[in-house]
Amino acid sequence: MDLTCRPRRLRSNGILRKMVREVRVDKSSLIYPMFVREGNHIKEEIPSMPGQYRYSVDCMEEKLVELRDAGVRSVMLFGIPDSKDEVGSGAYAQDGVVQQAFRKAKQVCPDLYLIGDVCMCEYTSHGHCGVLCGREVDNDRTLELLAKTALSQVQAGADMVAPSDMMDGRVAAIRRLLDESGYKNVPLMSYAVKFASSFYGPFRDAAGSAPAFGDRKSYQMDYHNRREAWKEAMLDVQEGADIVMVKPAMAYGDLIREVKERVNVPVAAYSVSGEYAMVKAAAQAGSIEEEAIMCEMAVSAYRAGCDIYITYFAKELAKCMDAGMIG
Ligand code: PBG
């Protein structure tokens, strides 16, 4: 056969395959999401997310050290309070569960980078991501509470805040309060392109944050939309977001790519609870090879264009990177 181009030439040797690899991944881009609950001596497995736990503040250290030792340097904290109310006051309480968790984590693992998820849904009795006016979430009244929440997390030790509520104008509101309070240099990562997704189901079990009525479609995005993703991302950059996120990751690679091409800030992708749960369930059923699938999913998000990957598999991925399975 007289073939000029033989793409297989570059696949013929392992060293060569790595030399010509187009996407390279690194542990420094991983963020691990972690659930912290009120109480003492608690490490309870989340039924829908085997291998993931809710930790009480006094039990966090073991996990933080394990992550650090694996080379995962960034952790995003989610608080699960014992009691909730209409206005989510636990979200911005000085001694709230996540604020306590930041203080503890800074003390026991000062070399980790700590990120605060800023939202009301784990703290409101109705489970919505803001305060209600009738059965509607009141956007503008919620902004003040989100800003207070972000500030309280930073005061407790968060190095970065990440609003996930999808209210309009929250990036500007949080930025303004942080700046006025002397935190001009604390970065803000916006969950800018966040879809109303059934992939969050296991998270809501974990955090007890399912809405008591209705759904989140009046604030999270409709997954039929593509151009709206650029609109949300660009608005948040204009409002001062330092990093924008696309969420979920697995079924949204097209949007990771498009957002990446349209903004000039780093892009994060969040591989959410449902993605994790599906991999675990299929692996337990013997249908797939867990580690290989996890690696392939992660690389596909980086290939789509993310700079940062948020995943419950962070520690396991770090190990695969060390072992050279991906990298
Ligand atoms: C809070 C929040 C959610 C997730 C991250 N922050 C749940 C939701 O919007 O209902 C989902 C994360 C995951 O599924 O892993 N608003």
Side-chain angles (χ1 to χ4, degrees):
M1 266 291 237
D2 189 14
L3 285 176
T4 318
C5 288
R6 288 185 181 271
R8 288 185 56 190
R9 271 185 216 123
L10 294 181
R11 297 179 206 133
S12 60
N13 170 297
I15 298 172
L16 182 59
R17 281 196 293 275
K18 269 199 168 165
M19 185 196 298
V20 300
R21 200 166 252 184
E22 295 178 44
V23 172
R24 297 185 193 273
V25 298
D26 188 278
K27 291 189 284 189
S28 59
S29 63
L30 295 171
I31 298 175
Y32 178 70
M34 179 167 171
F35 299 98
V36 191
R37 55 159 291 169
E38 246 153 357
N40 284 305
H41 315 303
I42 301 169
K43 177 187 174 186
E44 58 187 7
E45 193 166 27
I46 299 163
S48 52
M49 300 175 74
Q52 301 298 316
Y53 298 83
R54 303 183 193 98
Y55 299 88
S56 54
V57 173
D58 60 330
C59 291
M60 297 170 66
E61 182 170 357
E62 164 200 333
K63 184 69 193 183
L64 296 174
V65 168
E66 196 181 296
L67 288 161
R68 184 196 58 199
D69 292 349
V72 177
R73 303 298 301 275
S74 308
V75 177
M76 178 141 74
L77 296 182
F78 292 90
I80 307 172
D82 272 346
S83 63
K84 309 184 185 222
D85 61 29
E86 283 280 302
V87 291
S89 52
Y92 40 89
Q94 296 302 321
D95 61 347
V97 57
V98 87
Q99 288 78 3
Q100 290 176 39
F102 280 117
R103 287 191 199 98
K104 179 76 175 182
K106 269 288 164 222
Q107 181 203 331
V108 299
C109 246
D111 47 354
L112 281 181
Y113 193 83
L114 303 178
I115 305 170
D117 177 90
V118 175
C119 196
M120 314 288 299
C121 64
E122 299 109 284
Y123 302 91
T124 51
S125 43
H126 44 75
H128 279 287
C129 300
V131 283
L132 297 181
C133 179
R135 285 170 74 86
E136 294 292 315
V137 175
D138 186 333
N139 190 89
D140 298 10
R141 270 181 59 222
T142 300
L143 297 183
E144 189 195 329
L145 302 182
L146 290 167
K148 270 169 73 174
T149 301
L151 178 60
S152 71
Q153 293 185 357
V154 172
Q155 286 169 336
D159 297 300
M160 179 190 277
V161 287
S164 67
D165 52 283
M166 289 299 279
M167 296 303 123
D168 294 331
R170 92 274 208 204
V171 172
I174 292 171
R175 187 71 271 160
R176 194 175 317 120
L177 184 61
L178 290 181
D179 289 357
E180 283 168 11
S181 311
Y183 296 107
K184 288 195 166 64
N185 288 321
V186 172
L188 195 156
M189 171 164 68
S190 167
Y191 286 68
V193 181
K194 177 172 177 181
F195 288 90
S197 169
S198 298
F199 281 102
Y200 310 150
F203 174 97
R204 293 178 190 167
D205 286 346
S209 65
F213 64 88
D215 53 39
R216 302 208 200 291
K217 289 181 181 164
S218 76
Y219 38 104
Q220 299 180 349
M221 290 173 56
D222 178 351
Y223 61 73
H224 297 73
N225 296 352
R226 189 175 141 224
R227 292 192 307 150
E228 194 185 8
W230 325 337
K231 174 171 141 188
E232 282 284 4
M234 290 192 306
L235 266 175
D236 283 5
V237 172
Q238 281 164 21
E239 288 182 29
D242 300 286
I243 299 171
V244 291
M245 189 197 300
V246 176
K247 176 185 173 201
M250 188 166 68
Y252 294 81
D254 55 335
L255 298 175
I256 298 173
R257 166 58 46 192
E258 298 208 18
V259 167
K260 180 61 176 279
E261 283 172 1
R262 278 172 176 80
V263 298
N264 56 5
V265 300
V267 174
Y270 193 152
S271 178
V272 300
S273 56
E275 301 176 40
Y276 176 87
M278 289 188 339
V279 173
K280 282 288 178 186
Q284 273 166 13
S287 327
I288 59 164
E289 218 182 294
E290 178 173 330
E291 207 171 51
I293 293 278
M294 164 189 94
C295 287
E296 200 171 325
M297 277 168 63
V299 170
S300 83
Y302 287 106
R303 194 183 61 234
C306 72
D307 305 288
I308 298 164
Y309 189 54
I310 305 166
T311 173
Y312 300 96
F313 281 122
K315 192 187 78 184
E316 291 75 12
L317 275 171
K319 298 228 158 88
C320 290
M321 290 178 190
D322 283 341
M325 285 176 65
I326 51 171

